[in-house]
Amino acid sequence: MKKRSKMKTCLMVLLFSVASLMSFAQTTGNFKGKILDQSTKQPVVGATVQIDQTQLGATTDTTGVFTINNIPTGTYGVTISYLGFQTKNISEVIITSGKTYYSELEILEAVANLNEATVRAFKGENNLLTPVSTFSYSREEIFRNPGAQGDIMRALGSLAGVVSSGAQFSAIAARGQGTQDNVYMVDDIPMFNLSHLEAEGFNSGFNDPNGGRFSIFAPRIIDNVQFQNGGFDAVYGRKSSSYLGLGIKEGNKATWSFAGQFDLLGATLIADGPVSKKTSLFASGRYQNFGLLQRMLDQQNPVSIGFGDYLIKTTTELNAKNKLSVIAMYNPERPRRGIDDIDTDYNINDDNSGGTILFNHEGSKALVGLNLRTLIDSKSYIKNVLYFRSSTVDNNFGHFTPSLDEEGMVLDPRSGRYEDDLRRIKNDQMEIGYRSIYTKRFDKLTITAGLDAAVVNLDYERSLKRIDTVYSFRNTDLRPSPGQYYQILNPSQYNSSFDNSAFNGSGYVAVSWKIANGFTLNPSIRYDYTGFTEQHTVSPRISGSILLGDKQSINFASGIYFQDAAFSDLAGQSAANKLKNERTFQNILGYKYQFSGDLKLVVEGWHKQFDDVVVQPNRVQSYLHNNGTGYAYGADLSLTKRLSQSWYGTASYSYMESQRDDHSGLGAYDYTFNIPHNFSILGSYKPNNKWIFSGKFRYSTGRPADIYTLHSNVLNNPDMLRYSQEITEVNGRRLPDYVSLDMRVDYNVPLKKGMFSAFVDLADINNQFNVNSEVFIPNTGGVYRVGLGVFPTFGVRVEL
């Protein structure tokens, strides 16, 4: 009785405390920030900052700083205006009790003939330097994206011309190219990749095209996103498909806040505030584990999956002209599936069964970077970036040979041979780099010039401990005799070891020239030296915009893009076999109509020609060459209602064709990411400051898959029955279409000093199993399908 009484007393105290925090909550907060000219980074003096639908506002002082005090708690739109500049709208400024919301904001110079009272500029948009294929997300828009769980890579999958690998994968592929072809920049620092759980070595020990499953950034870490789906200028290179620039949130310079999110997958903790008068800090830590979710979904033989993301960033105003940011990131991961994880009484042909594969993966990514921005004079500035980044991968793959019944049900997983170290992939990469980028604005001309220099070290090892048999092959692959319906994977042809360093250097110049009223041309040129391929390349590019009135414009881009050969491909070659960089020639023509300040229509057609594409003549050999060619073309349509007041939404449709030819005798074929039809519609509604409702529907044509002939008892041994698949047409058929309906609900309650939030985020609530790929099973002659059905998560977030 005493224990029950104490428990009741504790519960009453807890409920009373929560109620007190809510009922006696302060009712006002503050908004402070700094307004800069985006093209020169100079402070804007005299700009007006207005809290929408209120009488509250302020004007920036001689340092570009403004302060608005005693704002009632809630979520507001903010309008920033200044003569000669585009009016800028900030969609979601969240005023919290007893806190100061701080943000450094940039505004763009007004565009001639464009009604600046009509257009509200978002990050990177309506910028004549990036006239084509440019999209942006705010921090709140990323978080609201249903089914994405705050993951930026999953949020990008709803953009026009962008497809994810599908289902459980989140990596993006843009306009007929692959997941490895995108430029990734984080605070102006180039990154190897941005994903966890990339299955390097899964496909018979060679690269898997699907990319990773989750981004390395926890929710609310990314402050702004700029994505350009091709046509980017010469400032960026070494990849040829798209440009993704991510800005990590800077620490609040006015007040401290601490936040914790706890959900079905794990926990995230964030600290954000001033360290001194000149320095602010933003730090976060996240750990994710999928054990609870897998038990909730009643998955058989769940894979052990865990990863972490740890980040710290400091920002210091050294003086009026110099701003220094320091960032450090560490992202470890360790998924595994051992023989002890395998249960009896499951069918190895079932979806996501994993077949007979065992694996143990250890990997991590790390980054340390310094970014110094210096104002030289009122019209120019320079950015100097020094960074170190690394990526480590240690993958071990094996398999087991269980006893099965006639339907493929496992009777005993340990009945035959099992080993977890048949193949090993070690891929350690390190890079020390420096970037210097200078920008100067004249009356009708803006010039950007820069250089990049980096030393890359690659320590790569691929090993096979014994001869293995491969039961999936193309009919053009070499075999000792036509009647041998399998291939032998020999260590002498598979194993490779590479440990070397190389220098990469780049120089570039980009010009934005206002030739006439309403006509802007952006020529640029880039030079690259790639040390591992010992290749010099020159990439001329051009883009432009022609205004047709105060609401519409014609935009275009054309250029050559060279892409460095993948490190893992380079490491597997003999010294005599030098791979070349792949070459892409792309053209884009688009039309944009700005219906209102927050509603626009963009239609674009595009074409790409691929040359010197790296191909693998024989799937069981490391030897590669550049004999591949191809092309891709398509059209994208997007209608975007930006986040302002209570509504936000997008609707997009893409048509795409992408063909490759390896010149191997099988002819041209559909590329892995040839998705002819892709449709997405997203909407979010906020009826009041407590509730947010969001939904997203996605449809796309199914991924290409091989046509094959099935052969049985290929070893001519009934006691060791094996099947094989002879691929007769590469990607000659299609997997089922992708269909997904995602829903998200957020509920927010103000506290005395902070906010309490609860959310439910349901991906694929229609529970259609969306297939990403098929994996052949020699033991049964069937396939198991890699994919995902419903993916739920829910949790709470507390900010103090």
Side-chain angles (χ1 to χ4, degrees), residues 46-88:
T48 300
V49 182
Q50 179 70 39
I51 306 292
D52 294 347
Q53 299 179 335
T54 75
Q55 299 299 314
L56 300 172
T59 302
T60 57
D61 62 17
T62 56
T63 63
V65 174
F66 67 90
T67 304
I68 306 174
N69 295 320
N70 300 318
I71 306 171
T73 57
T75 303
Y76 296 91
V78 173
T79 300
I80 303 167
S81 57
Y82 185 67
L83 184 65
F85 285 77
Q86 297 179 37
T87 299
K88 180 163 187 168

Side-chain angles (χ1 to χ4, degrees), residues 13 336 340 363 470 512 553 783:
V13 170
R336 64 178 300 276
D340 293 333
V470 177
S512 182
S553 63
V783 297

Side-chain angles (χ1 to χ4, degrees), residues 77 233 279 398 618 725:
D233 65 28
T279 301
N618 193 325
Q725 61 171 187

Side-chain angles (χ1 to χ4, degrees), residues 259-269 757 759 793-798:
Q261 178 172 309
F262 310 92
D263 56 45
L264 194 59
L265 300 179
T268 302
L269 301 177
S757 304
F759 66 91
T793 188
F794 52 85
V796 297
R797 186 176 187 274
V798 180

Side-chain angles (χ1 to χ4, degrees), residues 681-692:
I681 184 168
L682 180 153
S684 179
Y685 175 59
K686 186 175 184 178
N688 51 52
N689 283 328
K690 289 187 176 181
W691 292 96
I692 304 174

Side-chain angles (χ1 to χ4, degrees), residues 21 96 99 256-260 751-755 798-800:
L21 284 171
T96 306
K99 302 281 186 179
W256 274 98
S257 65
F258 302 91
L751 303 176
K752 185 177 181 179
K753 282 191 176 183
M755 182 76 68
V798 180
E799 181 175 346
L800 301 174

